[in-house]
Structure formats: C-alpha cells, structure tokens
Amino acid sequence: RDETDANAVYGEIAYRPIDPLTLTFGARYEEEKRFRLGATGPLPTDFQETYREFLPKGTLNYDLTQRFTIGLTAGRGYNPGGASITLAAPFTAFSFEPECVGIYEGFLRAGITETLSLTANLFFNDYEGLQLPFFNNPLSIEIQNAEEAKTYGAEFELRWVPSDQNEIYINAGLLETNVNEASDPLTDGNDLPR
C-alpha cells in the first residue's frame, strides 16, 4: 500500500511603491502525508510521515527603462522525504529525509531593439539535506541526504525575431556544484553527479 495525500495554499501580492519599482511577495504552505506499508520479498517497508513546510518568496523588479529591467529574487524550495527499496542486489530498504533549498537569483531582461532581446540570470542555491542517488552498484540505487551542498551559475539567452514566421535564439549556461558536507566520503567535497 502506497499513498500520498498533499494539500497546499498559496498567495501572492504585488506592490509598486514608486513607478519603476515592483515588489512581489508570495508564500506557499503545504502539508504532505506519506504512507507506505508492505513488503517486497523479505524487505518490509513501514513508513508514515507528515511533512509541513512554509515556503516564502520575494521578488524585486526595477525598470531602468521601458525595455530594460533588473531584479532580485529570494525564496525557499522543498522536497519531502520518503522510503523505498533497491531493485537489485544488494537488496535493502531505505528511507531519506526532506530536502530544503534557499534560492537566490539576479536577473536582467533587455529589449535591445524591437526584434532583439537578451535575458540573463545569475543564481545561487544553498541546499540542506540534498537528496542524492547512492549507487551500491549500477543497478542498486538508494536515495541518501547530503547535509550541505551549493550550486551557482549563470544562464543567458539572446533572441532575434526577424519576422512573424521566424525566431532565432542562442542559449548558454554555466554551472558549478559542490557537496560541502556528506556522510559518504565519495560524495563529500565533490561536485554533484550530472
């Protein structure tokens, strides 16, 4: 028997204290009940947990001109914990804890001309309890939590619309990752798996 019951409520408000500046505040509260009871061969699973999380988010937009906007966003993300079994030897039952992440982003939206635009994002994510796959062997995989991890990077998109029927764009991204603290010595201090 495997059941998940999730409920959430979300709200958002935008405020413009001065003409070029917009402040947006949002929040989500969610409750998720996970119930997993049974057995696969000799491996029993008895997992019952209720997770409750408050997830705020705030965004600041500043219009430099009608075509150029810069901004900052900060928020919190979340994945609940769970339990499962490995599907190949060595067979084992396992559980994992929730994952939380602080999300920080700076962005630029630029209409360079009527047909040419640029978007750019700089981001930083600060994880606690990051859920990662742990390979007992190539077919036997568990989910384990890394106590602390960070990712950061940049994304760019240049878009040209020469006509109503044509659109050309170029995307580029840079990403750095690091597991700052993990109980697995093969994971601790290394990049995240890709």
Side-chain angles (χ1 to χ4, degrees):
R1 183 177 169 193
D2 192 354
E3 296 179 0
T4 299
D5 183 18
N7 296 286
V9 60
Y10 176 79
E12 184 176 275
I13 186 170
Y15 173 58
R16 201 171 179 93
I18 56 175
D19 189 45
L21 178 65
T22 302
L23 304 175
T24 304
F25 301 99
R28 175 185 176 92
Y29 177 80
E30 64 181 52
E31 179 181 277
E32 185 167 318
K33 298 178 181 179
R34 291 198 165 185
F35 180 81
R36 178 170 279 190
L37 181 64
T40 302
L43 297 175
T45 301
D46 184 0
F47 183 82
Q48 300 176 59
E49 286 288 345
T50 299
Y51 300 100
R52 296 177 181 90
E53 283 296 322
F54 177 70
L55 306 172
K57 181 180 179 180
T59 301
L60 181 153
N61 287 312
Y62 191 86
D63 298 325
L64 296 173
T65 69
Q66 289 185 338
R67 290 186 177 179
F68 287 79
T69 299
I70 58 174
L72 297 171
T73 293
R76 190 165 183 265
Y78 171 79
N79 279 320
S84 189
I85 61 166
T86 56
L87 301 178
F91 294 101
T92 181
F94 63 91
S95 63
F96 50 94
E97 297 297 317
E99 167 188 290
C100 296
V101 57
I103 303 164
Y104 309 94
E105 182 179 340
F107 57 86
L108 165 71
R109 307 285 182 262
I112 300 170
T113 69
E114 292 292 338
T115 60
L116 185 65
S117 63
L118 171 70
T119 61
N121 297 331
L122 300 174
F123 62 87
F124 174 78
N125 300 315
D126 187 8
Y127 290 89
E128 293 181 8
L130 178 64
Q131 296 166 359
L132 291 173
F134 176 79
F135 293 85
N136 297 312
N137 63 51
L139 299 177
S140 179
I141 304 169
E142 298 180 34
I143 301 298
Q144 296 186 356
N145 294 90
E147 287 82 354
E148 185 180 332
K150 292 178 172 55
T151 65
Y152 57 93
E155 299 171 335
F156 307 92
E157 180 181 273
L158 188 63
R159 185 177 296 264
W160 181 41
V161 185
S163 69
D164 292 340
Q165 294 77 34
N166 296 289
E167 185 174 317
I168 301 169
Y169 58 90
I170 299 171
N171 291 312
L174 303 169
L175 177 65
E176 285 291 330
T177 68
N178 187 257
V179 178
N180 304 88
E181 185 179 348
S183 56
D184 175 21
L186 297 177
T187 304
D188 187 40
N190 292 320
D191 292 343
L192 294 175
R194 309 228 176 175

